[in-house]
Amino acid sequence: MKVAFISLGCAKNLVNTEQMMALCREAGYTVTGEPEGADVAVVNTCGFIDSAKSEAIDTILSIAPLKEQGRLGKLLVAGCLTQRYQDEILEELPEVDGILGTGSYTDIVPAIEAVLEGDTPTYFGDIDHTIEDGERLVSTPSYTAYLKIAEGCDNRCSYCVIPYLRGRYRSRPMESLLEEARGLAESGVRELMVIAQDITRYGTDLYGKRRLADLLRALCRMDFHWIRLHYLYPDEIDQELIDVIAEESKIVKYLDIPIQHLSDKILRAMNRRGNGALISDVISTLREDIPDLVLRTSIIVGFPGEGEEEFEELCRLLPGYCFQRAGVFTFSAEEGAPAAAMPDQVPEDVAKHRMELLVDLQSRVMDQWNEDRLGTVMEVLCEGFDGDMGCWVGRTYADSPDIDGHVYFTAAGQIPAGTFVNVRITGTSDGDLTGEIEE
């Protein structure tokens, strides 16, 4: 029995896919990433915003012809898209043979058995009480892996539907996390990426207080080289956490802190905790206490009620924060999210123009940071040889996988993927760095 998995969306979704893959392997199935020739294909979807929904539907439709041609048996769809559109998926996509919601990842084997018997399984468990522990079949390169420390979200930002898709915030017990992390370290993982919708809140529901600092101290005693953190919310960052990040050499000095806006009016409308002054204070403290800190953030433009005054405020203040990395998005009016029904919706063309202006403004900060790296020697995690570029490629501490840039470098000998090397930076290229290995 061969089961193929395709995972879409965020890293948190990938962890769920890896859980399903492990359950299938335990059941005796052969797990693959290629739908052609499989008995069952499972597409784990994202359904957060319109672009993610379109990608999921396009992926499903691209696989469906394999069934008609007899090169694929059945098609199951799981994840956020099915959780959000339980009835519509089966009605509008007859190519789909069964669906699982975000509360039923651990039901993957019964779902496969049911669909192979000719049934149309629809598994939708309690999204507030999911099983997050257990085996995973890690699908990332052998030297890097994710550690999901919590599921769900309690922040209730007015533009976001994640709480309705993933349930309330649920921290995993620290003992389970440390056991999983030990296994990853023993398997050769050198870069551990600690993830959740909000890692700074870790422990508040389970232990009655923040425990991220304690967790990080324990992880730093394991055989990892880099420990990377995604995402931290500014109102939950306290001095203890800042001190741990500053003092522990294994924690890379790269933090992903989504601020979304800098106008107090818009932050209130977004139902974000804190205000512009709090964001400013936190960023100032972080930069003062953590040398060479690289910050990534996310920003939404075109939110309902954002006039020229609020957008100009954002443009005026943002450069002072020197976010070296930023994702800029236009507001997406998601059905079910309070912001979709707010007055003063910003026209799509206006929002898109504002995004382009902000991207241009932010790109200057990134370009300047890259220029300042010229002549320096940086530690790089080699990810292999790039045949198109004709050289080796890797990432610095300032580059998280899949969302940031790369370093392309030359070397006389073979550099195995997963090796850390020192590279002298000699140039920049469209957001990336170039260099040569420092012998």
Side-chain angles (χ1 to χ4, degrees):
M1 175 72 64
K2 185 182 291 186
V3 182
F5 282 88
I6 297 174
S7 190
L8 306 175
C10 67
K12 299 179 290 295
N13 211 39
L14 177 62
V15 171
N16 293 129
T17 301
E18 293 173 342
Q19 291 172 320
M20 290 192 289
M21 290 165 63
L23 289 168
C24 286
R25 183 178 62 178
E26 183 180 338
Y29 303 154
T30 298
V31 174
T32 178
E34 178 52 59
E36 185 168 354
D39 297 284
V40 179
V42 181
V43 180
N44 192 17
T45 61
C46 177
F48 179 36
I49 56 177
D50 285 343
S51 59
K53 290 182 282 187
S54 296
E55 181 188 23
I57 293 170
D58 289 345
T59 300
I60 293 167
L61 294 178
S62 71
I63 295 172
L66 294 176
K67 289 177 56 184
E68 300 173 4
Q69 299 160 8
R71 294 188 290 164
L72 171 65
K74 300 290 185 175
L75 177 57
L76 284 173
V77 178
C80 289
L81 187 73
T82 56
Q83 185 67 39
R84 192 169 181 184
Y85 300 106
Q86 299 180 18
D87 298 327
E88 292 89 338
I89 293 292
L90 292 177
E91 290 176 4
E92 300 179 17
L93 293 172
E95 300 88 351
V96 175
D97 298 301
I99 53 178
L100 299 86
T102 57
S104 292
Y105 288 117
T106 51
D107 293 319
I108 183 61
V109 172
I112 289 173
E113 293 173 347
V115 79
L116 289 174
E117 291 174 0
D119 296 333
T120 305
T122 55
Y123 285 76
F124 288 91
D126 185 353
I127 62 173
D128 289 322
H129 299 87
T130 53
I131 300 172
E132 300 299 329
D133 297 333
E135 294 296 318
R136 289 164 50 198
L137 184 56
V138 177
S139 58
T140 46
S142 61
Y143 50 83
T144 187
Y146 295 101
L147 181 69
K148 186 165 72 168
I149 66 174
E151 179 58 282
C153 186
D154 288 344
N155 290 331
R156 300 285 172 176
C157 299
S158 64
Y159 52 81
C160 184
V161 296
I162 287 177
Y164 311 105
L165 303 180
R166 291 283 182 168
R168 61 176 177 79
Y169 191 86
R170 309 176 306 280
S171 300
R172 292 178 57 195
M174 191 174 298
E175 296 78 9
S176 298
L177 291 171
L178 296 180
E179 180 181 359
E180 182 176 339
R182 284 189 206 95
L184 292 171
E186 291 169 0
S187 72
V189 170
R190 309 301 312 285
E191 178 187 38
L192 184 73
M193 289 171 284
V194 178
I195 60 171
Q197 195 61 37
D198 178 357
I199 67 171
T200 34
R201 186 176 282 222
Y202 174 74
T204 53
D205 58 312
L206 199 58
Y207 303 111
K209 62 178 181 179
R210 302 186 190 104
R211 294 291 304 276
L212 180 61
D214 296 334
L215 175 63
L216 292 178
R217 290 190 188 98
L219 292 174
C220 286
R221 291 194 288 270
M222 298 181 188
D223 192 21
F224 300 112
H225 191 82
W226 280 352
I227 296 176
R228 194 178 291 278
L229 310 180
H230 289 271
Y231 305 96
L232 301 94
Y233 278 62
D235 63 295
E236 296 281 354
I237 297 175
D238 57 21
Q239 191 60 49
E240 180 188 18
L241 179 59
I242 294 173
D243 291 342
V244 169
I245 295 170
E247 295 164 4
E248 294 286 358
S249 60
K250 291 184 179 181
I251 300 177
V252 296
K253 308 319 179 210
Y254 168 110
L255 303 178
D256 194 331
I257 304 175
I259 62 170
Q260 308 303 0
H261 216 280
L262 287 170
S263 162
D264 285 353
K265 171 189 169 182
I266 300 302
L267 289 170
R268 284 193 301 271
M270 289 179 168
N271 199 34
R272 300 283 292 183
R273 303 190 306 272
N275 53 25
L278 179 142
I279 294 171
S280 178
D281 289 345
V282 168
I283 300 302
S284 295
T285 302
L286 286 168
R287 292 211 176 277
E288 182 177 340
D289 292 358
I290 306 175
D292 300 320
L293 177 66
V294 168
L295 291 176
R296 164 170 275 282
T297 196
S298 300
I299 299 166
I300 296 174
V301 297
F303 190 84
E306 182 194 66
E308 289 299 327
E309 180 179 348
E310 290 76 26
F311 179 67
E312 289 173 4
E313 181 181 8
L314 175 61
C315 293
R316 184 178 70 253
L317 295 176
L318 186 63
Y321 290 85
C322 290
F323 288 106
Q324 293 92 342
R325 308 282 188 262
V328 182
F329 306 92
T330 58
F331 169 70
S332 179
E334 294 300 315
E335 54 190 308
M342 287 182 176
D344 301 321
Q345 298 279 326
V346 176
E348 184 178 345
D349 60 332
V350 174
K352 183 178 179 181
H353 180 62
R354 289 176 182 175
M355 179 187 71
E356 293 169 350
L357 291 175
L358 205 61
V359 167
D360 180 64
L361 185 67
Q362 179 58 33
S363 66
R364 301 174 201 171
V365 177
M366 184 180 74
D367 290 345
Q368 185 60 57
W369 190 86
N370 282 347
E371 290 289 337
D372 292 343
R373 307 281 78 74
L374 294 176
T376 67
V377 175
M378 302 189 72
E379 184 179 50
V380 172
L381 171 58
C382 180
E383 296 189 301
F385 189 82
D386 189 305
D388 294 332
M389 298 293 289
C391 61
W392 302 94
V393 61
R395 294 181 284 108
T396 72
Y397 80 97
D399 304 306
S400 198
D402 300 325
I403 57 174
D404 295 318
H406 293 87
V407 179
Y408 295 93
F409 64 96
T410 57
Q414 295 292 312
I415 313 294
T419 302
F420 287 89
V421 295
N422 290 323
V423 174
R424 182 170 295 279
I425 306 302
T426 58
T428 65
S429 176
D430 193 26
D432 296 318
L433 297 172
T434 58
E436 55 192 25
I437 197 167
E438 187 86 345
E439 301 293 346

